[in-house]
Amino acid sequence: MKDVLKILIAEDNETDRLILSRIISREGHSVSLAVNGAQAVELYERGRHDIVLLDALMPIKDGFEAARAIRELAGEELVPIIFLTSLQDVDSLTRCLESGGDDFLSKPYNSLILKAKIKAFGRMRSMHAALSDNHRQLLLEQTVAKNVFDNVTYSGSLAASNIRYSLSPIAMFNGDTVLAQHRPDGGLHVFLGDFTGHGLPAAIGAMPIADTFYGMTSKGFELEEIIREMNNKLCKILPTGIFCCGAAVHIDMAEKTARLWLGGVPDCYLYYASSGQILPFGSSNIPLGITTGKKFTVLTEEFSMQNGDRLFLWSDGIIEAENEDLTMFGEDRLRAVFQDAARPEDIYPDLLTAVDSFIGIGERSDDITLVEVTMSDPVVADLEYLEEAADRIPPALDWEVSFIFSTITLKNHNPMPLVMHVLSETEGLKPYISQLYTLIAELYSNALEHGVLQLDSGLKKTGAGFGRYYQERQERLEQLVHGEVRLLLRQIPLGRGGRITVRVEDSGNGFNHAGRVYDEGTDLNYSGRGLNLLRKLCTRVEYFGCGNQVEVDFEWPRRRLGEVGNEQ
């Protein structure tokens, strides 16, 4: 079926007006007639015509002025304007185009050419309308997808008081992503990912790794295990050529330590608040989503931090930001922001301001992401999973479960997620998962490290010794031939709540527990801070046999993790 177009003809010559009107009407189109430019604008405003034919020279308002006015009224809508003119000089024809015209029709009129132009511009309008409809539908779908994307990727603990981040995408979808989630023991995992490319193709990988990151962190998996799983998932789903550079950090706010993994991102900085010194960390891992198996290794660096120290992570969009002269922001300008900072808390806004000022009015070529993580004491308000009210806790049930972790498990797996899965599914224990994780993890670590591996905790009393301790731990694990840790969990009802008894036995030689004296006044006692923590969390801590068996009682309801220091 032929499209009927609404065509406006503005021509001050009556004869020409009549000729044009008859030619166009015979083609089945609707015609409106104006005798000058002012009337043409008025008719267009009322009729919103599909095509406009304008005589260049008319009284009251010429075709050039009328074209500009009609173009402004049309806005984003495509309205072809064909100038009717006897002018032939280049300047006049150029003026027609500059005032908003799309084509010319020279006088005297040729009916075949006129009909061909109207037909061509009619097709153009139809295609433009179809593209506009598709574009609106695409925007609608992208808006819905963006909401889902944001709900999945920007949840977790990104609102924690010791995290600041800025994501500045160059498209609706961000090729960079920032994830943060607390572990059950109150520790914090933060991940910055920078996918190759921009927009939706780059962002498509963020959702599966966000799901993996949040799920595994909540269950107590270690940072290295999460990174391996995210890499496996990306290797399965990403096409060749798309991968994810990343930076991941585990912050232990109780021990004041951090563990950092960098895969393909620029060097990140640790800023010491007390001295203003910067410690850079370089990437030593390949990005996620490139290879799996033994070719993919997870190398981390562990270091101490004090309250107020800040770890800065960024995507390459900051260093590679370009100004109008195509000069990059670079490492020197980045370092200068840190060196010139008068106050640690101003570095984050100063860095963003410096990059924005450097780019100026130039066009950005990449997503820009900055993350700042500050070492602090745990904040109870940040731990959303501790919000369940104690008065809604149901009565405890009787149950008992035991685990035997043999040599191969000790060498290659972290059993804590399995144990915590059992406890997290137990009705009434959810508000205490953090405390239970802390005490079971402490007991398991003691059994493995001091019992099975025979490591000396005295090594951890110095910053340098801390690193040697974990290096020795890894070496002894790799050489381990025989070893075993047994774990028993038993719950009984007790008043409004219950009692969880945890018994841990290792295959080690034990120690002379009977000859050791516990002093509540210091955390630097014979058994270290771990035993003090157990005594604060538990109503009973008791060693048996040669010292390789320990049993503790955890009674609930009780105060929560962030309040443990106030418990009696």
Side-chain angles (χ1 to χ4, degrees), residues 425-442:
E425 295 298 319
T426 302
E427 195 170 29
L429 291 183
K430 186 177 178 182
Y432 310 107
I433 286 298
S434 298
Q435 291 158 296
L436 288 167
Y437 182 96
T438 300
L439 73 89
I440 295 173
E442 182 65 27

Side-chain angles (χ1 to χ4, degrees), residues 96-143:
C96 290
L97 292 175
E98 290 177 346
S99 61
D102 297 293
D103 203 352
F104 313 98
L105 186 63
S106 300
K107 297 179 181 180
Y109 305 120
N110 183 303
S111 62
L112 293 178
I113 294 177
L114 173 60
K115 287 187 283 187
K117 287 182 181 289
I118 289 177
K119 194 172 182 180
F121 280 114
R123 287 199 303 270
M124 184 185 296
R125 270 189 58 86
S126 297
M127 287 189 291
H128 184 268
L131 287 174
S132 297
D133 289 342
N134 290 338
H135 184 63
R136 280 192 291 272
Q137 181 64 28
L138 181 62
L139 287 178
L140 177 63
E141 292 173 356
Q142 284 190 340
T143 301

Side-chain angles (χ1 to χ4, degrees), residues 253-275:
M253 287 173 279
E255 295 287 342
K256 304 303 178 193
T257 62
R259 195 161 71 256
L260 179 66
W261 172 89
L262 296 177
V265 294
D267 291 1
C268 71
Y269 289 175
L270 171 61
Y271 179 85
Y272 292 107
S274 59
S275 63

Side-chain angles (χ1 to χ4, degrees), residues 219-230:
K219 292 174 182 174
F221 281 91
E222 296 295 338
L223 189 69
E224 292 83 351
E225 297 170 303
I226 298 171
I227 291 169
R228 286 188 182 281
E229 184 58 27
M230 290 197 297

Side-chain angles (χ1 to χ4, degrees), residues 511 513 543-549:
F511 68 102
H513 59 90
Y543 283 89
F544 300 98
C546 64
N548 66 341
Q549 303 168 42

Side-chain angles (χ1 to χ4, degrees), residues 433-479:
I433 286 298
S434 298
Q435 291 158 296
L436 288 167
Y437 182 96
T438 300
L439 73 89
I440 295 173
E442 182 65 27
L443 291 171
Y444 175 77
S445 294
N446 285 342
L448 174 62
E449 296 171 6
H450 307 315
V452 176
L453 301 180
Q454 296 291 300
L455 283 165
D456 180 6
S457 61
L459 275 175
K460 293 195 290 185
K461 290 182 178 179
T462 66
F466 203 87
R468 289 203 304 275
Y469 179 89
Y470 283 99
Q471 183 179 358
E472 184 72 17
R473 179 185 188 276
Q474 184 60 35
E475 291 174 358
R476 293 193 186 189
L477 265 181
E478 292 173 356
Q479 297 167 5

